Amino acid sequence: MMMSPARKEPDTMTYSGRFAIRLRELREKAGLTVPELAERIGVPAQTIYHWEIGKPTFRLDLIPALAEIYGIEPRELLPEK
């Protein structure tokens, strides 16, 4: 049986890392898988994965759509400094 690669964890010492963690927490709290969220906002699942490990590929134009899916205000997507 082939094991899937370990998920890379974001660097919690950086703002982008904390943002990545916040995005994953909100997705999981909403009960969505990566593919489900990707389909709902119209991006490839790989894009969501990159966001959640802190790769600098996040599209700011998607913040309103994510906030609506999660039932929060857009500013609530941002982690505390």
Side-chain angles (χ1 to χ4, degrees), residues 14-80:
T14 66
Y15 187 81
S16 64
R18 290 189 304 276
F19 183 60
I21 291 167
R22 178 77 175 137
L23 291 174
R24 185 174 65 204
E25 287 172 346
L26 287 167
R27 177 183 55 75
E28 290 173 346
K29 183 178 178 184
L32 295 169
T33 65
V34 168
E36 288 169 340
L37 178 58
E39 184 177 321
R40 287 185 67 175
I41 62 173
V43 300
Q46 189 69 20
T47 298
I48 304 293
Y49 174 74
H50 284 166
W51 296 348
E52 292 184 2
I53 63 169
K55 283 193 174 183
T57 58
F58 188 76
R59 291 179 35 201
L60 296 177
D61 62 310
L62 294 174
I63 285 181
L66 287 171
E68 184 176 333
I69 288 168
Y70 298 143
I72 62 175
E73 293 294 320
R75 63 181 154 59
E76 293 178 79
L77 281 167
L78 306 176
E80 294 182 17

